Structure formats: C-alpha cells, structure tokens
C-alpha cells in the first residue's frame, strides 16, 4: 500500500501472543481488502468499547476494566430511555423479547441478583389473594347465600394472608428501588410495564374493601382521598400519553394489561360509595367508563399487522372480564341496588368470561409464569358480581351459578398459588433474567463484514476518489492507537 500505517499498544508481558495474533489477523484483513479494492486512502478511527454492567456489581462481571472506565460506562448507560427505544430493542406484544440485533448491558450467561429479576408484575399475586378476601366476605354477608352457613372466618384468614403478601412484595420492591433505582425507572418507562404500577394501588383498595367486620366496619372517609390521590396523578400521566404521547399513544401500546389503568377507577368508586361518599366516587366511575370504552374498542380494532399475544401471555386476556365486573359492583354501591346499569356491566363481564372459558385450547400448552395470576383476579371479580346479582335476582339458578363461579375462582387461586411456591422455591425459575430492563441506551451499529467482538473493536474507513466511504471492521487491538 502507498501509505503504510502501524498500530502499537502497550501491553503487559503476559499477553504478547495475543497481541501478535490480533496484529496478524488485522494485517490479513488489510491484504484481502487491498487485493479486492486496490490501493486507497485509509484512515484509522477508534471505536468505543461495548457498554458494561448497568445495575450489577461491575467488579463481578467486568473485573478487567479499571474503575474510571466503569464510571464512564455507568454514566452513559443509566440515562433515561424513550419509548421508541423499547420498541426498537424489543418485540412481542408485551415488549419482553430482545431483538436479534440487540445486545443487553448485563451478562446473559449469568443469573442476575434477585432484586433485578423481581418485576413489578409480582403485584399480580396481591391482586389475586386480596380479591378472594372480598369474595368470601360477600359470600358470608349476602342473604341469598345464607343457606351455605358461612362465617367471616375465611375472609379474616385470607385478609391477613393478603396483607402479609402485600407487605412482603412491597418491601422487596422497595429494596429494588433503593439499590437498583435505574431498573425501576426503566420499568416505569416501559410502555407496557407502566400499567402494573397501578397494581399496588388497586391491591390496597381491595384490602380496604375486604377488611373483616371484626377489625372495623367503618373506615374513615379521609382514607379514600389518601388512597385515590396517587391513582389520580398516575392516571393523568398515563391517560395523557394515550391521547397525545407519540410512541406511547394508545393505538401504539394497546394491550390487555391496559385494563389495570381502568380498574383503579372502578375499585376506587366502589370503596368510596361504600364509605358514603357520592361526588368523588361518581367522578372516578365516569372517567373509568369513558376510557374503558375507548380501550375496549381500541383492543378490538387492532390492525392486522399487530402481533398477537404469545401463548405464555394468554392469561392476560382475562383482564377483559375484570373491568366490567368491578364496574357492576361499583354502580350497585353508588345506586344502592343491582339495577339495570349494574346488570348491564355484569352481563358484559359474564359474556366475556364464558367466551374465554370455552376456548380451552387457547389457555393450555404453555409453561407457568407470573402471567398466570391474571386468571385469578378477573375470575374472582366476576364471581363476586354474580353473588351480588344472586342477592337481587333470587333463585336456584343464580345461587348455583354464584357457587360454581366462586368455587372455580377459589380453585384457580389455590392452584396458581401452589405452582408459584413450587417454581419459586423448588424449581427456582419463577424469576428469570429480565432482559426488558437491560437494553442498551443506544441502538447498536450494524457491521457489514465482521461480527462485533465482545471486548471491543476498531474500524477503518476506505475512501475512494469519489469520496465514498466503506465501513470495515477489523479485529481489536488491545489499547490500540493510531500512529
């Protein structure tokens, strides 16, 4: 070649063979390139090293890097991610699967710390158990079910279990917030995961609704305002994004999990009406109804090009049932009786429930995951609404229907709870590595000739007379610099 350039590096005596191999490979690439394209002007330019650990202890995974480089990498990686970055790096309706071209900033071949693998979706367990406390309380206090001779003992036991579970999950996630704040921040920025931040708020509302009479019969009305304030602020943010959020608009992020952002309105209206409040509960009910209609139509009108849910996420389809079922009970409490409005919402939930139950093949053939908790809360909600309905329309048919649906919901909660314990403590596979929060802040550049090596690389640009440039990647040199 006309202009000969050499690269030198300062290495320890323990690595001369490795350096020679890199140089020989690099020279071979230069020779092949020269034969194919002829002599051209070539200039070296350095390329940045791949990003390292975002949340984990860098000394454990990147012990070969010095502290200064690790600090620079952390500063780059912990920047906030926009919604379009999640769409670029992940695919699938839940944005859970990493695209082939993408790299994550945490080691794929290692098991990450438990807190990093503990997702916000874990609050689904709290929703399932706390809703059971409400159902058994309704069974014990409804006149139409008095023939069962049930007491509130079951409600009392389930309420304390749900309280312990809610506290345990909340403390765990609080530790995750303290030690791995960037992971929590990325979950909140995730276009789909953000809906689950309603789950802890809804769980607390369910705890207030299911509280046994032996503990208290009258909750202070100020408690309702305290609980609904964060729900209102979160809704204003999410609903605003649905309307004019660019990549976060509803037509872009429509998913059955969006129902969680609606259910909080109906649960809050139900709790407020049970406390004797009127205007506040009606306000939340009206907002929830308006956005439920928009969400319902959007989910049914999704474009044919949109991806369908994988089988592992089919349980979230049951969230279609939850919103109208809770709305039915809320309207009953607001009006004082199971009137036409209550029946309207109840019959919608009942039809959706049976339209899903008959599709047996749709809900089998996939492994257990936390998504299975999406079965529990909707089934319990429609069972509770059926109990309310049987209290208004008394008869053998409604009584049998309420018992069957309550039994099915209870068996589902027990089964999913047992499977959760087995996979969490026996198989230890309940919380896999969460790649959705470990994507890189920038989209990786696509290389034309060689694969990007794990520990970094340098490239060269070949310029022709027309000033056209061709990017070529050569094997890395340790601490390479231009001469």
């Amino acid at each position: 070649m006309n202009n000969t350039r050499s690269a030198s590096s300062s290495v320890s005596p323990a690595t001369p063979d490795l350096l020679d191999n890199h140089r020989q490979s690099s020279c071979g690439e230069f020779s092949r390139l020269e034969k194919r394209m002829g002599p051209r002007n070539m200039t070296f330019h350095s390329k940045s090293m791949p990003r390292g650990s975002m949340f984990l202890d860098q000394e454990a995974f990147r012990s070969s890097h010095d502290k200064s480089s690790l600090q620079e990498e952390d500063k780059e990686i912990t920047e906030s991610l926009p919604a379009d970055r999640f769409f670029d790096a992940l695919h699938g309706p839940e944005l859970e699967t990493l695209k082939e071209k993408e790299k994550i900033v945490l080691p794929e071949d290692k098991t990450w710390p438990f807190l990093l693998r503990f997702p916000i979706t874990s609050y689904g367990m709290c929703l399932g158990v706390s809703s059971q406390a409400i159902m058994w309380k309704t069974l014990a206090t409804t006149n139409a079910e008095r023939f069962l001779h049930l007491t509130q003992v079951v409600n009392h036991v389930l309420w304390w279990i749900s309280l312990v579970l809610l506290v345990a999950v909340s403390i765990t996630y609080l530790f995750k917030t303290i030690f791995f704040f960037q992971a929590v921040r990325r979950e909140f920025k995730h276009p789909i995961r953000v809906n689950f931040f309603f789950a802890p708020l809804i769980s607390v509302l369910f705890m207030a609704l299911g509280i046994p009479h032996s503990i208290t019969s009258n909750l202070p009305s100020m408690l309702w305002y305290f609980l609904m304030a964060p729900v209102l602020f979160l809704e204003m943010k999410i609903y605003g994004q649905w309307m004019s959020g660019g990549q976060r608009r509803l037509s872009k992020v429509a998913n059955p999990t969006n129902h969680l952002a609606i259910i909080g309105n109906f649960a809050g209206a139900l709790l407020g009406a049970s406390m004797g409040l009127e205007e506040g509960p009606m306000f939340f009910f009206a907002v929830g109804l308006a956005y439920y209609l928009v969400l319902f139509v959007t989910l049914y009108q999704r474009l044919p090009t949109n991806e369908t849910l994988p089988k592992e996420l089919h349980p979230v389809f049951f969230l279609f049932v939850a919103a109208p079922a809770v709305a039915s009970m809320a309207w009953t409490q607001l009006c004082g009786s199971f009137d036409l409005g209550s029946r309207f919402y109840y019959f919608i939930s009942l039809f959706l429930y049976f339209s899903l139950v008959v599709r047996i093949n749709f809900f089998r053939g996939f492994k257990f995951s936390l998504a299975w908790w999406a079965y529990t809360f909707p089934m319990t909600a429609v069972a509770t609404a059926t109990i309310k309905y049987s209290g208004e329309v008394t008869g053998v048919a409604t009584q049998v229907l309420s018992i069957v649906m309550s039994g099915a919901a209870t068996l589902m909660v027990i089964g999913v709870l047992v499977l959760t314990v087995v996979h969490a403590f026996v198989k230890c596979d309940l919380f896999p590595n969460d790649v959705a929060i470990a994507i890189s802040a920038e989209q990786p550049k696509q290389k034309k000739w060689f694969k990007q090596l794990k520990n970094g690389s340098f490239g060269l640009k070949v310029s022709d007379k027309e000033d056209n440039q061709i990017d070529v990647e050569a094997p890395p040199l340790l601490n390479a610099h231009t001469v």
Side-chain angles (χ1 to χ4, degrees), residues 8-24:
S8 62
S9 61
S10 58
V11 296
S12 61
T15 61
D17 293 337
L18 178 61
L19 181 57
D20 290 339
N21 291 337
H22 284 315
R23 285 174 174 169
Q24 293 174 5

Side-chain angles (χ1 to χ4, degrees), residues 58-59 61-66 69 455:
Q58 277 78 352
E59 291 298 327
F61 295 99
R62 302 293 301 275
S63 58
S64 61
H65 284 239
D66 55 30
S69 63
N455 293 325

Side-chain angles (χ1 to χ4, degrees), residues 340-459:
L340 293 178
S342 301
R343 298 180 192 188
F344 176 80
Y345 305 123
Y346 169 67
F347 288 146
I348 293 176
S349 66
L350 191 65
F351 174 79
L352 292 173
Y353 179 85
F354 284 111
S355 65
L356 291 172
V357 168
V358 296
R359 302 184 65 185
I360 299 177
N361 293 332
F362 192 69
F363 298 101
R364 69 179 185 180
F366 49 90
K367 63 181 181 179
F368 177 80
S369 67
L370 283 175
W372 282 39
W373 281 97
Y375 288 131
T376 60
F377 154 55
M379 292 181 65
T380 304
V382 72
T384 306
T386 303
I387 297 169
K388 293 281 189 179
Y389 177 69
S390 68
E392 182 69 21
V393 183
T394 57
V396 177
T398 57
Q399 290 175 333
V400 171
L401 182 62
S402 61
I403 293 174
V404 170
M405 298 190 71
S406 299
T410 301
L411 290 176
M412 178 60 69
V413 171
I414 293 175
V416 174
L417 183 61
V418 171
L419 288 173
T420 301
V421 173
V422 170
H423 282 268
F425 299 103
V426 179
K427 296 186 177 181
C428 300
D429 61 354
L430 184 63
F431 302 105
N433 290 344
D434 189 6
V435 298
I437 63 169
I439 61 176
S440 60
E442 296 179 359
Q443 186 173 356
K445 296 180 180 179
Q446 299 299 308
K447 309 302 179 183
K448 294 183 178 180
W449 302 102
F450 304 98
K451 293 183 179 179
Q452 185 178 6
L453 298 180
K454 181 177 180 181
N455 293 325
S457 62
F458 76 89

Side-chain angles (χ1 to χ4, degrees), residues 161-446:
I161 292 175
S162 59
L163 178 62
V164 172
L165 182 61
L166 178 61
V167 171
V169 174
S170 299
I171 291 177
T172 304
Y173 203 77
L174 178 62
F175 278 118
K176 179 177 180 178
T177 305
I178 294 173
F179 293 105
F180 303 113
F181 176 74
Q182 294 301 330
V184 176
R185 186 182 183 186
R186 289 194 169 201
E187 282 194 294
F188 188 76
K189 293 291 185 179
H190 194 284
I192 306 300
R193 293 274 185 94
V194 66
N195 296 290
F196 284 94
F197 282 85
F198 284 95
L201 303 174
I202 299 173
S203 299
V204 175
L205 293 174
F206 284 174
M207 292 293 298
L209 287 167
I211 189 170
H213 291 302
S214 57
I215 297 178
T216 182
S217 298
N218 297 307
L219 293 171
S221 58
M222 286 302 299
L223 177 64
W224 183 83
Y225 293 98
F226 178 78
L227 295 177
M228 294 306 296
V231 175
L232 177 62
F233 289 129
L234 190 56
E235 285 178 351
M236 292 177 66
K237 175 179 176 60
I238 302 302
Y239 293 175
Q241 292 175 345
W242 286 0
M243 183 180 299
S244 59
Q247 290 289 339
R248 298 180 185 272
R249 63 189 183 277
L250 184 59
S251 59
K252 183 73 173 179
V253 301
N255 189 279
T257 56
N258 293 124
H259 283 102
L260 291 173
I262 305 295
I263 295 170
N265 290 281
F266 297 137
L270 176 58
L271 177 61
S274 65
M275 293 179 174
L277 302 176
E278 296 181 1
E279 299 302 319
M282 184 60 72
F283 166 79
F284 278 98
F285 185 91
V287 173
L289 179 60
Y291 278 92
Y292 173 72
L293 294 176
V294 174
L295 178 61
F296 188 86
V297 173
T298 303
L299 289 173
Y300 267 85
Q301 294 284 333
R302 298 186 73 185
L303 297 176
T305 54
N306 288 357
E307 295 182 81
T308 58
L309 286 176
K311 292 183 69 69
E312 290 77 9
L313 296 175
H314 281 180
V316 300
F317 274 100
F318 266 80
L319 292 175
F320 275 95
V321 177
V326 179
S328 174
M329 293 184 285
W331 188 256
T332 301
Q333 197 67 43
L334 285 168
C335 298
S337 63
F338 208 96
D339 61 8
L340 293 178
S342 301
R343 298 180 192 188
F344 176 80
Y345 305 123
Y346 169 67
F347 288 146
I348 293 176
S349 66
L350 191 65
F351 174 79
L352 292 173
Y353 179 85
F354 284 111
S355 65
L356 291 172
V357 168
V358 296
R359 302 184 65 185
I360 299 177
N361 293 332
F362 192 69
F363 298 101
R364 69 179 185 180
F366 49 90
K367 63 181 181 179
F368 177 80
S369 67
L370 283 175
W372 282 39
W373 281 97
Y375 288 131
T376 60
F377 154 55
M379 292 181 65
T380 304
V382 72
T384 306
T386 303
I387 297 169
K388 293 281 189 179
Y389 177 69
S390 68
E392 182 69 21
V393 183
T394 57
V396 177
T398 57
Q399 290 175 333
V400 171
L401 182 62
S402 61
I403 293 174
V404 170
M405 298 190 71
S406 299
T410 301
L411 290 176
M412 178 60 69
V413 171
I414 293 175
V416 174
L417 183 61
V418 171
L419 288 173
T420 301
V421 173
V422 170
H423 282 268
F425 299 103
V426 179
K427 296 186 177 181
C428 300
D429 61 354
L430 184 63
F431 302 105
N433 290 344
D434 189 6
V435 298
I437 63 169
I439 61 176
S440 60
E442 296 179 359
Q443 186 173 356
K445 296 180 180 179
Q446 299 299 308

